[in-house]
Amino acid sequence: MDETLDRFLPAYGHRTVHGITLAAPPQEVWAALNAVTLADLPLPRVLLALRTLPSRLRGRGPDLLDRSVPLADLFRRGDRWVTLAEEPGRILVLGRVARFWSPVPQEPAPLRDGEGFLAFGAPGYAKAVISHEVIAHGTGSRLVTETRIQGTDARARRRFAAYWVLIRPGVGLIRRSALAAAGRRCDGPRGGRPVPGE
């Protein structure tokens, strides 16, 4: 996964990595991951409701808390996140450029693809990538998510760093909850159980 992420954001100021090993085959884990919705994440849903409240009060993104839509699809609604790389069954990488620290995140003109994300360099923004990867691991699978963020200039990096102190615990909770929800959704007699020792 590092090679794919390094293509889009090789230098970053902030990073989180979370993973879980499951006793289920990769294709089952991938399907489960892509079926996770906000309905599977009660506490993270509350955090997202608080974070998106200013946007929703201004009539922007009323669908941000749609509990019936898979998270991967919810992220891509309204051109907020763009697909940077995707290999179905193995990896999905999404990217976004915004002033995340604003109550209502301000974004430049929508990015259309990975090339637009790479080319973007206007000051005053932060670039973020989120990846999910399923890796064969013995008779089961390893499901890993990584987040990277980098400001486009020194001022943006300072502003995002202050914001990151506030949101990092919530980001970690959301990522871990999504991984656990994917594990619960796995089918089969050994499905979503984490492998002992993880």
Side-chain angles (χ1 to χ4, degrees):
M1 176 163 50
D2 285 347
E3 290 182 3
T4 304
L5 288 175
D6 285 346
R7 178 185 167 206
F8 293 103
L9 204 63
Y12 47 87
H14 307 279
R15 175 179 183 246
T16 64
V17 180
H18 298 90
I20 186 171
T21 301
L22 299 169
Q27 65 272 19
E28 190 175 306
V29 174
W30 184 261
L33 173 66
N34 282 280
V36 172
T37 69
L38 281 177
D40 298 308
L41 312 174
L43 184 54
R45 191 168 67 242
V46 172
L47 295 178
L48 289 169
L50 292 172
R51 176 61 187 96
T52 59
L53 182 61
S55 294
R56 291 182 291 113
L57 288 175
R58 296 184 187 190
R60 295 179 57 185
D63 61 344
L64 291 173
L65 297 177
D66 190 330
R67 298 174 58 177
S68 65
V69 178
L71 288 179
D73 296 333
L74 195 60
F75 265 63
R76 289 181 276 198
R77 276 188 175 178
D79 295 323
R80 287 186 293 272
W81 292 83
V82 63
T83 300
L84 302 179
E86 184 171 15
E87 293 179 37
R90 194 183 80 79
I91 188 169
L92 172 65
V93 181
L94 302 176
R96 184 179 180 190
V97 176
R99 292 178 177 136
F100 297 98
W101 51 86
S102 297
V104 177
Q106 300 168 23
E107 299 172 276
L111 304 176
R112 298 297 176 197
D113 54 27
E115 296 308 314
F117 183 87
L118 282 169
F120 186 87
Y125 292 91
K127 300 172 81 169
V129 294
I130 298 175
S131 67
H132 290 87
E133 183 176 21
V134 179
I135 307 157
H137 185 85
T139 59
S141 307
R142 182 87 179 145
L143 175 56
V144 180
T145 179
E146 181 170 344
T147 303
R148 295 181 181 182
I149 307 101
Q150 176 72 331
T152 54
D153 64 359
R155 185 166 186 258
R157 288 191 286 274
R158 288 193 300 272
R159 297 190 77 173
F160 187 85
Y163 175 65
W164 186 244
V165 170
L166 297 175
I167 68 159
R168 182 174 183 173
V171 168
L173 174 65
I174 291 167
R175 302 295 185 267
R176 290 189 302 274
S177 297
L179 295 178
R184 290 192 300 273
R185 280 181 171 268
C186 287
D187 296 326
R190 296 187 308 148
R193 289 189 303 154
V195 171
E198 290 298 317

